[in-house]
Amino acid sequence: MSLKVVILAAGKGTRMKSSLPKVLHCVADKPMVQHVIDAAASIGAVDTVVVVGHGADQVRQTITSTVQYAEQTEQLGTGHAVQQAMPLLEPNDTVLIAYGDVPLTRPQTLQNLVAEVSDNNLSLLTVVLDDPTGYGRIVRDANGNVIGIVEHKDATAEQHKIQEINTGILAGKAAVLNELLNRIDNNNSQQEYYLTDIFKLASDQGMSIATHNPDDEWEVTGVNSRSQLAQLERIHQQNIATVLMDGGATLLDPARIDVRGSLQTGQDCIIDVNCVFEGEVSLGDNVTIGPNCLLRNVSIASGTEIKANCVLEESTVGENCAIGPFARLRPGTELAEQAHIGNFVEIKKSTIARGSKVNHLSYVGDSVVGERVNIGAGTITCNYDGANKSQTIIEDGVFIGSSTQLVAPVTVRKNAVIGAGSTITKTVEENQLAFTRARLRTVDNWPRPTKKPKA
Ligand code: UD1
Ligand code: CA
């Protein structure tokens, strides 16, 4: 059997009050519809069909995976939407129907639903809600068999009391779905072709309907407004925080961490409040992250401490480094073990070898820095001449005095010393002292200015 997933994503999402199609709004920095596509892939879907309508071009452009598209130009109902995907399915396919605005269903839940599908049944995900208002109600007979679904707007007062609702997520053979969908009509309060109508038709012709429940309600929560989006984001973040703690990380407040991508942590990492992790981030053992840090696509080896208020992007940090507070590592930074990067230091596209220190107020860009180098406060690599970038090479054991400008391209060879306040424009050889410094002049008894009396 081949599993195909159909994702309904044609709706407008009026209540989002957005120019962005609803399914492109993000949870954890990933479009909702992409979450569903990824879940489909993780349960082995051989093909995913996204039914697009409102903002179809934008949806197509944003989705990064290889999927098929079916266009629903007019939103005539969920049943009509599924019908648009039918030409892309084979009769013998097992088809899972999901929704682009229900992003957090566990793959295992979808798997359970799919596992139940046979040639002569439907499999439906339902949930019992304290307040079922607005949802389609699951109608069962005296034996507990599902005999239909009635939409809230079409339900009787008696049916409104039913608390078991339709999540919308279901599975069945393509041939079965196709045959049933061909028989639905739009004679209902919304004049829509309801997907839900297939359940009465199936039941009437003696098919069985298997139902499943998700372990958690949030798995089937859809997003219709920005406040629902924010609620789901919080739930998702809480779930991620729990996984991190279960994996051996200490979060000083699990309610104040945001992971927008994947975060791998070794043992005994400590993460303080208000840290944001984006893309692929990995932390070795015993890594400490201070409050208010942003880490995007970085890998940090064991024992390193990142102090408060640092921003690290596309960088690699070795073992037992110390970074920050208030440090910025820009893309292409590679720090070897025991490097120290202090406050108000910016490093870009540079490698810094073992044990070197850039502790205060410096910019190091397009540079190769050797081992045991000490770069004094206020050092700037002048890597840009207004047109091109050039490289600075600082070899092992160099000492750079404070407030030095290194005008690239330039090389400072092993164990050289640069005097404070120098502008270095040519190669400094091994063991040399180099400095450029205007002669100090002094004027005795200098008359300091005094304030003019007010007119
Ligand atoms: C639907 C179900 C209801 C269920 C509820 C769960 C039907 C008739 N009703 O109701 O039983 O309790 O979901 O949230 O199925 N869509 C399209 N094309 C369309 C219509 C809808 O792509 O023509 C998409 C929407 O973008 C949305 C989803 O299908 O993502 C559900 O549509 P919506 O109109 O919100 O259905 P509900 O009234 O919520
Ligand atoms: Ca809905």
Side-chain angles (χ1 to χ4, degrees):
M1 99 161 185
S2 40
L3 172 63
K4 301 209 176 151
V5 177
V6 173
I7 301 174
L8 304 194
K12 187 169 180 194
T14 312
R15 277 179 283 165
M16 296 299 281
K17 303 220 168 80
S18 178
S19 61
L20 194 67
K22 177 165 75 173
V23 297
L24 296 185
H25 283 261
C26 288
V27 170
D29 202 31
K30 189 202 278 190
M32 289 194 281
V33 68
Q34 189 69 48
H35 280 270
V36 185
I37 291 167
D38 292 350
S42 79
I43 61 166
V46 296
D47 224 335
T48 296
V49 181
V50 182
V51 180
V52 291
H54 278 284
D57 290 341
Q58 228 177 328
V59 175
R60 280 195 168 100
Q61 279 160 22
T62 308
I63 289 173
T64 51
S65 331
T66 308
V67 297
Q68 299 211 63
Y69 293 95
E71 189 114 12
Q72 187 193 27
T73 42
E74 262 188 301
Q75 278 69 63
L76 302 179
T78 49
H80 179 259
V82 175
Q83 275 180 313
Q84 309 315 302
M86 279 300 159
L88 297 169
L89 306 172
E90 303 295 329
N92 199 36
D93 289 338
T94 295
V95 181
L96 172 73
I97 315 249
Y99 297 80
D101 58 358
V102 182
L104 297 184
T105 320
R106 284 193 179 96
Q108 187 58 55
T109 303
L110 299 175
Q111 190 88 67
N112 294 343
L113 203 62
V114 164
E116 205 71 22
V117 171
S118 74
D119 282 337
N120 193 34
N121 79 346
L122 291 172
S123 184
L124 176 65
L125 193 65
T126 74
V127 68
V128 174
L129 296 183
D130 289 339
D131 179 11
T133 308
Y135 291 99
R137 306 301 207 282
I138 308 298
V139 184
R140 293 180 184 266
D141 67 13
N143 298 320
N145 297 316
V146 174
I147 54 171
I149 297 177
V150 57
E151 290 304 298
H152 182 94
K153 286 178 180 157
D154 302 292
T156 62
E158 201 55 35
Q159 288 168 330
H160 279 156
K161 291 180 190 154
I162 300 172
Q163 286 180 292
E164 185 186 13
I165 64 101
N166 170 34
T167 64
I169 300 170
L170 62 98
K173 286 286 182 186
V176 171
L177 291 169
N178 197 34
E179 191 274 326
L180 295 168
L181 283 168
N182 284 335
R183 286 156 54 201
I184 62 173
D185 60 36
N186 64 351
N187 298 326
N188 51 54
S189 64
Q190 303 185 79
Q191 281 161 27
E192 284 182 9
Y193 292 90
Y194 290 164
L195 175 59
T196 44
D197 281 354
I198 65 173
F199 289 93
K200 181 175 188 312
L201 295 174
S203 167
D204 284 352
Q205 69 187 59
M207 279 190 190
S208 68
I209 293 156
T211 57
H212 288 270
N213 304 129
D215 287 343
D216 290 289
E217 209 178 291
W218 50 257
E219 291 189 62
V220 295
T221 302
V223 168
N224 294 306
S225 65
R226 304 218 193 209
S227 77
Q228 287 170 348
L229 182 68
Q231 282 166 23
L232 218 52
E233 175 81 36
R234 281 308 99 207
I235 290 168
H236 185 55
Q237 293 301 338
Q238 210 168 54
N239 293 340
I240 294 170
T242 303
V243 170
L244 291 171
M245 291 187 290
D246 289 348
T250 295
L251 306 183
L252 291 185
D253 183 355
R256 282 184 289 168
I257 177 171
D258 285 84
V259 180
R260 301 169 188 157
S262 100
L263 171 60
Q264 308 293 328
T265 53
Q267 235 173 26
D268 295 312
C269 290
I270 300 177
I271 300 173
D272 210 328
V273 298
N274 295 331
C275 290
V276 177
F277 299 87
E278 297 184 345
E280 308 274 316
V281 176
S282 76
L283 309 181
D285 296 335
N286 297 300
V287 170
T288 303
I289 316 272
N292 308 318
C293 290
L294 168 65
L295 280 71
R296 178 184 300 132
N297 295 319
V298 297
S299 123
I300 315 270
S302 298
T304 284
E305 181 179 8
I306 315 248
K307 295 170 190 161
N309 299 301
C310 290
V311 177
L312 284 70
E313 296 169 89
E314 329 271 339
S315 295
T316 310
V317 177
E319 289 182 7
N320 301 312
C321 290
I323 297 174
F326 296 100
R328 178 171 186 210
L329 303 189
R330 289 173 52 202
T333 297
E334 285 176 40
L335 305 183
E337 60 204 80
Q338 292 167 39
H340 288 198
I341 305 299
N343 39 210
F344 308 107
V345 171
E346 174 182 347
I347 314 276
K348 188 216 79 172
K349 207 175 176 185
S350 296
T351 62
I352 295 189
R354 177 194 168 92
S356 290
K357 296 176 181 166
V358 193
N359 274 334
H360 326 270
L361 298 158
S362 292
Y363 171 61
V364 175
D366 301 306
S367 299
V368 178
V369 177
E371 295 183 0
R372 291 169 285 101
V373 168
N374 193 315
I375 296 187
T379 296
I380 307 292
T381 55
C382 309
N383 60 332
Y384 185 54
D385 59 11
N388 298 298
K389 303 273 169 65
S390 302
Q391 204 179 37
T392 299
I393 296 170
I394 302 172
E395 295 183 357
D396 295 347
V398 164
F399 180 95
I400 307 232
S402 298
S403 197
T404 292
Q405 298 91 52
L406 296 151
V407 182
V410 71
T411 299
V412 181
R413 298 213 189 280
K414 276 187 186 170
N415 298 319
V417 173
I418 310 293
S422 298
T423 302
I424 304 299
T425 52
K426 66 182 181 64
T427 303
V428 177
E429 299 298 342
E430 276 187 43
N431 301 313
Q432 281 184 336
L433 166 68
F435 60 96
T436 64
R437 199 174 281 174
R439 189 180 304 148
L440 176 70
R441 294 175 56 198
T442 57
V443 177
D444 290 339
N445 300 317
W446 176 246
R448 294 187 49 179
T450 53
K451 225 177 190 144
K452 285 185 187 128
K454 282 206 177 100

